[in-house]
Amino acid sequence: MNIAIVGASGAVGQEFLRVLDERNFPVTSLRLFGSERSAGRKYNFRDKEIEVELLQHDDSFKDIDIAFTSAGGGVSKEYAETITKHGAIMIDNSNAFRMDNDVPLVVPECNAEDALNRPRGIVANPNCTTIMMLVALKPIEKLSHIRRIRVASYQSASGAGASAMDELKNQYRQIVNGEEVTVSKFPFQLAYNVIPQVDVFTDNNYTKEEMKMFNETRKIMHSDVRCSATCVRVGTLRSHSESIWIETEQPLDVEEVRKAIAEADGCQLVDEPANQKYPMPLYTAGKDDVYVGRIRKDIADENGLTLWLSGDQIRKGAALNAVQIAEYLIKNDASLKK
């Protein structure tokens, strides 16, 4: 495959390079694109040094098979036609097209086949919190339809990019050294703090991040499920966590649910609370799977279950999910057979 990465210098762009290499993705050629600020930088990929090219409205994507884009919604919207006009498949990591009816929104463990129908040549990567939640909930949905989801997320600095991770590390250093704390990427100091706001608030007092979880879940699951979320930024560096309460149509046995999750693609069951074994960002950072634990009956709802998960936002929540979409297309889409 002839591959392009747009936004190669960002945290997700860099993760694309690692994931493509680690998974032995079939790369014939690789081109990197970025803004004027990042153009000219060089990165190694499989013992080759590749220079970032300036993203422009030209024919640079003429021979590209798959383009991974992670440079923000504005860039994706502006350059979508340029990227796809010669037949390249654009797998987009922004929120630009997620809710468009003619753009599939895909979590491969849930609805991979949706990626085969893409009238505009675009496949959208969902929001990171949605991806990880649905990887864990899909095996439960197979046991009994999920009617309602209530979720609180605990989102690390990585969700706001590489510069936000640097700011958090710098804040901890500044506090220890008695220096004035620098606040730029978040509305408040994140170190030694939690901020009950991820993204901006909408008219209903839910944030855009929280509404993404409502809307994206229904589209991916092809379901009438209703999801109420509270998304919180916490002072961890990498990996998001979520506490989830679900209501199913039929009551489910906890052991049945544990077994389903343990056998599901993309899930790792870590659920031995008596031995203090449960998922934590400390252990899930840098890992591919979504780690699930603390599965138990919801004592406030006879048809309810509650569980906890943790997963790497930059990997499964972004780069890995996109690469898995590409792997599925290579295997199942006739237009990519060579």
Side-chain angles (χ1 to χ4, degrees), residues 6 33-35 54-58 61 67 69 71-85 90 97 122:
V6 178
F33 295 90
S35 64
L54 179 64
L55 181 64
Q56 302 179 81
H57 290 293
D58 56 20
F61 294 85
T69 55
V75 172
S76 292
K77 286 182 178 180
E78 180 181 348
Y79 285 92
E81 186 176 347
T82 296
I83 292 168
T84 60
K85 67 179 179 180
M90 177 178 175
F97 310 107
I122 303 169

Side-chain angles (χ1 to χ4, degrees), residues 10-12 156-167 185-186 233 237 313-314:
V12 176
S156 64
S158 64
S163 59
M165 297 167 72
D166 290 339
E167 180 174 298
K185 295 296 294 185
F186 304 106
R233 189 75 68 185
L237 195 63
Q313 173 271 337
I314 304 177

Side-chain angles (χ1 to χ4, degrees), residues 128-186:
C128 54
T129 47
T130 305
I131 289 173
M132 293 188 294
M133 181 176 74
L134 295 189
V135 169
L137 295 188
K138 180 64 175 181
I140 303 176
E141 172 73 14
K142 290 179 180 179
L143 298 175
S144 178
H145 175 53
I146 298 170
R147 296 191 296 199
R148 292 182 181 84
I149 305 167
R150 295 172 177 86
V151 54
S153 71
Y154 305 80
Q155 299 181 219
S156 64
S158 64
S163 59
M165 297 167 72
D166 290 339
E167 180 174 298
L168 179 62
K169 288 186 284 187
N170 193 43
Q171 286 181 352
Y172 281 122
R173 181 192 60 78
Q174 290 170 328
I175 292 168
V176 169
N177 293 333
E179 301 171 5
E180 184 177 350
V181 175
T182 301
V183 177
S184 174
K185 295 296 294 185
F186 304 106

Side-chain angles (χ1 to χ4, degrees), residues 68-273:
F68 299 104
T69 55
S70 186
V75 172
S76 292
K77 286 182 178 180
E78 180 181 348
Y79 285 92
E81 186 176 347
T82 296
I83 292 168
T84 60
K85 67 179 179 180
H86 294 294
I89 298 171
M90 177 178 175
I91 302 179
D92 184 54
N93 196 56
S94 78
N95 63 2
F97 310 107
R98 288 174 182 162
M99 297 312 300
D100 290 7
N101 291 331
D102 54 359
V103 174
L105 183 67
V106 175
V107 177
E109 293 87 349
C110 300
N111 65 326
E113 63 281 359
D114 286 2
L116 299 174
N117 181 21
R118 45 178 195 281
R120 294 163 60 184
I122 303 169
V123 181
N125 219 32
N127 186 44
C128 54
T129 47
T130 305
I131 289 173
M132 293 188 294
M133 181 176 74
L134 295 189
V135 169
L137 295 188
K138 180 64 175 181
I140 303 176
E141 172 73 14
K142 290 179 180 179
L143 298 175
S144 178
H145 175 53
I146 298 170
R147 296 191 296 199
R148 292 182 181 84
I149 305 167
R150 295 172 177 86
V151 54
S153 71
Y154 305 80
Q155 299 181 219
S156 64
S158 64
S163 59
M165 297 167 72
D166 290 339
E167 180 174 298
L168 179 62
K169 288 186 284 187
N170 193 43
Q171 286 181 352
Y172 281 122
R173 181 192 60 78
Q174 290 170 328
I175 292 168
V176 169
N177 293 333
E179 301 171 5
E180 184 177 350
V181 175
T182 301
V183 177
S184 174
K185 295 296 294 185
F186 304 106
F188 301 97
Q189 171 189 314
L190 185 57
Y192 299 113
N193 191 26
V194 297
I195 303 172
Q197 176 187 355
V198 179
D199 214 326
V200 298
F201 286 98
T202 64
D203 291 342
N204 65 0
N205 287 327
Y206 282 80
T207 66
K208 284 187 175 181
E209 184 87 352
E210 293 158 357
M211 292 309 300
K212 289 173 190 175
M213 297 191 76
F214 179 92
N215 293 313
E216 292 179 16
T217 295
R218 292 162 70 93
K219 182 174 180 178
I220 295 163
M221 299 286 278
H222 301 286
S223 169
D224 60 354
V225 64
R226 302 178 70 83
C227 176
S228 179
T230 298
C231 294
V232 182
R233 189 75 68 185
V234 299
T236 54
L237 195 63
R238 184 160 169 164
S239 269
H240 292 354
S241 300
E242 301 176 30
S243 188
I244 303 171
W245 294 260
I246 63 170
E247 178 188 322
T248 55
E249 285 188 344
Q250 303 296 326
L252 295 176
D253 177 73
V254 170
E255 288 307 316
E256 180 184 23
V257 172
R258 286 197 179 105
K259 183 176 185 292
I261 289 175
E263 295 174 351
D265 291 339
C267 286
Q268 293 283 341
L269 181 68
V270 183
D271 194 14
E272 298 179 38

